[in-house]
Amino acid sequence: MAIAVQQRLLSLDFFRGLTVAAMILVNNPGDWSYVYAPLEHAKWNGCTPTDLIFPFFLFIVGVSIAYALGARKEDPAQHRALIWQALRRGATIIALGWFLNLFPKFNFAHLRFPGVLPRIGVVFSICAILFIKTNRRTQIWTGIILLLSYWFMMTCIPVPGIGAANLEPETNLGAWLDRLVFTPAHLWSGSKTWDPEGILSTVPAIGTGIFGMLVGSWLRRKDRENAVKVSWMFVYGFGTVILALIWDPFFPINKSLWTGSFVLYTGGLATMALAASYWLIDVHGHQRYLTPFVAFGRNAITAFVLSGLIPKLLGYIPVQDTNLHQWFYQTVFVSWLSPYHASLGAAILLVLVILVPIMIMYRRNVIIKV
């Protein structure tokens, strides 16, 4: 999420922009039947490159909170205003997610309440309040307690009406809670029986945001040399990846469940990726060819919203016996490319189309804040 920071890191904007561009790419293939394996989510347990994108974004949300609020939290008189600002921003992000789900028919009977943007809004709000009102030690223990509590609930508490605790898609405790709170019409259309951004799995997702907050607080410290900060980020990142792999046989790395091992695995990789970006870009000044990703990073939420609106708008413009979206895809890509190349080409084109207004905004220093 794009937050105006006092000590703006070009590497953070780059990392955020690269992440949101990848998110747009994997969410918009020309044909879901023809997607290259690295651009698909793991079927259940495991982690593909695509599975890294959403946790990386939540990690970046946490880092951005540390930079945006790190100095201002020192004045208790500002806390009330900062908390209300965080709640307003979170609510706006949630509302944008619901708007995208409703657009253009606005059929509230089938509104999916969970989702990517709603989860970002919830994680941002809770992490921002936690950052404002607590110290680093409390944040560490909060993250640990959230991950361990989620592990206990998912592996030890029997599932009502089903039986023993389990980690299967439709019969785990999180899926049961989703069905209890939401009707099938308000859940992920891919299943109608559970949601990958469901209620219970948002608990460890907050842990991903806390992970980013801790890394951001470390990175903005002025009493450490850059080489020391980067070295320890690699140590922390590698260490948490090892912990995740140790935990994996008992609580498998799984994006849909957002398991604790998934939080540690993706958080560790994100930490090392940010460390490398910071060292190369901010410390050593390697900044060529970064502009498109920095532009995406400055207006990440705007780019994501456009990626949801444009395909839907094209899909409601009739052309011959189909719609403009399908007609364009069939004519420009399928007519001369293999199915997999055509599907990937359409996704890349959408990223480039969205880049045009995003670049114009970047050149004019326009940042849409939520």
Side-chain angles (χ1 to χ4, degrees):
M1 132 172 232
I3 301 176
V5 297
Q6 296 175 348
Q7 301 169 272
R8 188 148 211 136
L9 292 181
L10 193 62
S11 56
L12 185 58
D13 283 331
F14 163 77
F15 192 20
R16 184 192 297 111
L18 179 63
T19 302
V20 78
M23 190 179 294
I24 294 169
L25 181 74
V26 302
N27 285 346
N28 295 277
D31 189 332
W32 284 103
S33 299
Y34 299 100
V35 179
Y36 285 108
L39 302 181
E40 287 192 294
H41 291 291
K43 298 302 182 183
W44 191 240
N45 295 332
C47 186
T48 71
T50 296
D51 291 322
L52 299 176
I53 295 171
F54 193 14
F56 275 23
F57 196 89
L58 289 184
F59 171 89
I60 293 165
V61 167
V63 176
S64 299
I65 287 171
Y67 269 85
L69 304 178
R72 299 171 67 188
K73 72 172 286 187
E74 301 302 324
D75 180 9
Q78 296 191 52
H79 285 189
R80 184 181 180 87
L82 291 175
I83 290 172
W84 277 112
Q85 183 183 51
L87 291 173
R88 285 195 299 269
R89 287 182 174 179
T92 301
I93 296 170
I94 293 170
L96 281 173
W98 290 345
F99 171 78
L100 286 180
N101 287 338
L102 289 168
F103 183 85
K105 292 184 176 181
F106 291 92
N107 184 351
F108 286 87
H110 291 85
L111 167 62
R112 179 192 175 199
F113 287 106
V116 171
L117 287 178
R119 173 164 286 184
I120 292 173
V122 170
V123 170
F124 168 74
S125 298
I126 294 175
C127 285
I129 294 171
L130 184 67
F131 183 81
I132 293 165
K133 301 303 292 185
T134 65
N135 58 28
R136 178 175 175 272
R137 181 182 294 273
T138 301
Q139 292 161 22
I140 291 173
W141 277 109
T142 300
I144 292 172
I145 290 170
L146 289 177
L147 297 189
L148 292 179
S149 298
Y150 182 65
W151 165 77
F152 176 80
M153 288 187 288
M154 294 295 289
T155 59
C156 298
I157 297 178
V159 183
I162 293 174
N166 68 90
L167 300 177
E168 297 304 313
E170 297 187 353
T171 57
N172 66 77
L173 187 65
W176 169 82
L177 183 61
D178 289 340
R179 292 193 297 271
L180 178 67
V181 176
F182 305 115
T183 64
H186 297 297
L187 291 174
W188 179 49
S189 60
S191 72
K192 297 294 187 181
T193 56
W194 60 278
D195 201 292
E197 281 79 47
I199 298 171
L200 199 56
S201 62
T202 300
V203 172
I206 295 168
T208 298
I210 293 173
F211 202 133
M213 279 168 27
L214 295 170
V215 171
S217 296
W218 168 257
L219 193 56
R220 67 184 295 272
R221 289 182 61 165
K222 297 185 180 299
D223 61 341
R224 296 289 190 275
E225 297 292 331
N226 286 324
V228 173
K229 290 192 288 189
V230 169
S231 296
W232 276 108
M233 286 173 69
F234 276 110
V235 171
Y236 294 147
F238 185 76
T240 53
V241 168
I242 296 301
L243 286 176
L245 295 176
I246 293 172
W247 201 1
D248 176 60
F250 311 98
F251 200 30
I253 295 171
N254 184 303
K255 176 191 176 294
S256 294
L257 294 176
W258 213 280
T259 55
S261 58
F262 180 75
V263 172
L264 295 180
Y265 183 75
T266 56
L269 292 178
T271 300
M272 291 188 283
L274 180 59
S277 300
Y278 176 74
W279 183 252
L280 292 173
I281 297 171
D282 289 300
V283 177
H284 287 284
H286 297 295
Q287 300 178 4
R288 294 183 64 184
Y289 312 117
L290 301 184
T291 301
F293 298 109
V294 173
F296 268 124
R298 294 283 171 88
N299 280 288
I301 296 295
T302 300
F304 185 80
V305 170
L306 287 175
S307 74
L309 291 177
I310 292 175
K312 286 188 175 183
L313 284 171
L314 296 178
Y316 280 89
I317 299 175
V319 174
Q320 298 177 3
D321 295 328
T322 183
N323 58 67
L324 182 56
H325 186 268
Q326 281 300 312
W327 176 86
F328 186 84
Y329 173 61
Q330 295 292 330
T331 303
V332 176
F333 294 102
V334 176
S335 61
W336 64 285
L337 290 173
S338 69
Y340 283 96
H341 282 64
S343 184
L344 177 60
I348 293 173
L349 179 61
L350 180 62
V351 175
L352 296 177
V353 167
I354 294 172
L355 180 60
V356 174
I358 292 298
M359 281 297 296
I360 293 173
M361 294 168 67
Y362 175 75
R363 297 297 186 189
R364 296 182 179 180
N365 200 28
V366 175
I367 300 177
I368 298 178
K369 301 176 183 178
V370 297

